[in-house]
Amino acid sequence: MKRLGILTSGGDCPGVNAVIRGAVLGGDVAHGYEFVGFRDGWRGVLEQDAIPLPRTGVRGISRLGGTILGTSRTNPLVGNGIEGVRACFRRNGLEGLIAIGGEGTLAAARELCAQGINVVGVPKTIDNDLGATDYTFGFDTAVQTATEAIDRLRTTGESHHRCMVAEVMGRNAGWIALHSGMASGAHAILIPEHPVSLDQVCSWVLSARDRGRAPLVVVAEAFAPEGHAAPYAPRGLDTFGRPRLGGIGLLLEGELQIRTGIETRATVLGHIQRGGEPTAFDRVLATRLGLAAVESAAAGRWGTMVSLRGTDIVNVGLEEALGELKVVPEARYQEAAVLFG
Ligand SMILES: Nc1ncnc2c1ncn2[C@@H]1O[C@H](COP(=O)(O)OP(=O)(O)O)[C@@H](O)[C@H]1O
Ligand SMILES: O=P(O)(O)OC[C@H]1O[C@](O)(COP(=O)(O)O)[C@@H](O)[C@@H]1O
Ligand SMILES: [Mg+2]
């Protein structure tokens, strides 16, 4: 019987389980594929930590947050990794591998394909910052979760006549801030793509207060005020030497309170945005991507990833897909900025 492996790697993301279920069901029904799941990303491949994934094993999982397979940031290209991946293919009789992950995972997949190993990618990130796909699954859920939290901040902010600052995720891009800020009616949305001065933020805050509103500021974790070279990252580096973002909201809390005289409170939403059940939109998108990934494998389109273009799921070469980050275009920022203050 033909067999495919599946792994989930990098940060988790609501909807990953729906991709797994879509792939297993589609592969089973349309092609008679058997599936093997690898635990904790590439670690499971290298250490041959595998579990069978029969149709019954993915029953009802598309509404579950996280990933039933677990995830890690193990790099398959380090040391003897590539030989380890080949050995895993041989031992499990794999025709190919479906790798669900972000730009890091897909970069590893691209290199493995260049070495003759069959991989199909499924892009994943709540940040929505991957080029070559209109939306990533998990983004809608993160925006929904952030918006619900910000709505709550508004009612307490209004009761106390305070300025509320909500900090949301987004390592390289302000998509979550832009969408949750617009949905919740923020008086200022601060994103890394468009640095503004603290004076400008204060003027939006004061103008909202002068109209009798409790000012609401939504800030992306990677935002740096004009004049600051890098995002605020006081928590050191992650295991890959990348700065751990988070905390700009607290910095703004102090600055805005001193500069405007308005009592200010900041909330950092953090990993709350990445956990929990995916929205219906993300379940549908993720399921379609899983189904399409299996079609790619069956057609031998290795070295590609599946992606959303308009309302269609298409195939894109990993080379092209990893070309550039998708950041918020200036026109989208200016459209939202009309609502500020
Ligand atoms: N540029 C790269 N080339 C190859 N592998 C990479 C690269 N960046 C990260 N990786 C590997 O990809 C995996 C996940 O990457 P990471 O960036 O943490 O998550 P994500 O896939 O969510 O972007 C890890 O195994 C990491 O070692
Ligand atoms: O879970 P960690 O390692 O703290 O990473 C936090 C980062 O991961 C994200 O949640 C998602 O990013 P990726 O999808 O690229 O992993 C970012 O928004 C955030 O900056
Ligand atoms: Mg990454």
Side-chain angles (χ1 to χ4, degrees):
M1 189 174 231
K2 297 182 298 181
R3 295 181 112 195
L4 291 175
I6 304 189
L7 64 84
T8 58
S9 163
D12 73 332
C13 177
V16 164
N17 287 323
V19 177
I20 297 171
R21 175 175 168 274
V24 170
L25 261 58
D28 178 55
V29 172
H31 300 284
Y33 272 122
E34 210 173 70
F35 288 85
V36 180
F38 292 99
R39 287 204 180 93
D40 302 337
W42 299 108
R43 184 199 67 76
V45 173
L46 298 178
E47 296 176 11
Q48 313 230 1
D49 186 358
I51 51 168
L53 271 185
R55 196 182 161 138
T56 50
V58 298
R59 206 178 257 166
I61 66 168
S62 55
R63 67 173 182 279
L64 301 181
T67 160
I68 60 161
L69 292 175
T71 186
S72 76
R73 292 193 154 113
T74 299
N75 191 337
L77 307 180
V78 166
N80 260 351
I82 294 181
E83 275 323 301
V85 177
R86 283 193 215 283
C88 176
F89 265 64
R90 281 194 300 273
R91 172 143 170 210
N92 291 282
L94 299 182
E95 186 178 306
L97 197 54
I98 296 176
I100 307 167
E103 87 290 348
T105 305
L106 298 173
R110 178 183 56 188
E111 181 54 28
L112 291 170
C113 284
Q115 305 275 339
I117 296 170
N118 293 341
V119 188
V120 166
V122 180
K124 157 240 67 100
T125 176
I126 61 165
D127 289 355
N128 196 39
D129 61 355
L130 291 177
T133 187
D134 287 354
Y135 285 99
T136 51
F137 69 85
F139 170 65
D140 185 67
T141 303
V143 168
Q144 183 64 30
T145 304
T147 302
E148 283 167 14
I150 296 168
D151 285 349
R152 289 171 192 276
L153 293 178
R154 278 205 97 150
T155 65
T156 167
E158 277 161 7
S159 306
H160 288 263
H161 317 292
R162 283 172 170 157
C163 170
M164 303 303 277
V165 177
E167 179 187 306
V168 299
M169 277 184 162
R171 199 198 295 276
N172 306 297
W175 288 108
I176 298 175
L178 184 79
H179 281 227
S180 63
M182 196 182 245
S184 59
H187 300 108
I189 300 172
L190 311 180
I191 61 174
E193 293 87 340
H194 193 101
V196 293
S197 65
L198 290 177
D199 282 347
Q200 172 65 79
V201 183
C202 289
S203 118
W204 284 323
V205 164
L206 287 168
S207 132
R209 195 272 313 267
D210 292 347
R211 284 184 295 107
R213 309 303 309 275
L216 170 66
V217 176
V218 174
V219 58
E221 62 181 359
F223 169 77
E226 211 170 64
H228 291 65
Y232 190 61
R235 299 193 288 183
L237 304 178
D238 69 11
T239 42
F240 286 97
R242 296 176 295 205
R244 284 188 59 209
L245 304 181
I248 179 70
L250 297 166
L251 185 133
L252 287 174
E253 175 187 282
E255 288 290 335
L256 296 183
Q257 180 154 310
I258 289 166
R259 290 166 183 245
T260 64
I262 304 171
E263 194 175 35
T264 302
R265 294 287 187 270
T267 300
V268 180
L269 295 182
H271 290 79
I272 300 268
Q273 293 157 94
R274 236 168 63 192
E277 296 182 352
T279 59
F281 179 91
D282 279 338
R283 292 182 208 185
V284 172
L285 174 56
T287 303
R288 292 181 71 202
L289 290 170
L291 290 165
V294 132
E295 290 306 316
S296 299
R301 290 192 291 269
W302 311 113
T304 65
M305 69 168 210
V306 286
S307 90
L308 180 69
R309 279 270 167 78
T311 54
D312 294 333
I313 306 290
V314 300
N315 264 103
V316 190
L318 284 174
E319 289 295 335
E320 181 198 337
L322 293 167
E324 64 185 293
L325 279 172
K326 188 180 66 194
V327 294
V328 174
E330 181 62 15
R332 285 294 311 273
Y333 176 80
Q334 293 301 344
E335 177 188 64
V338 172
L339 308 166
F340 295 176

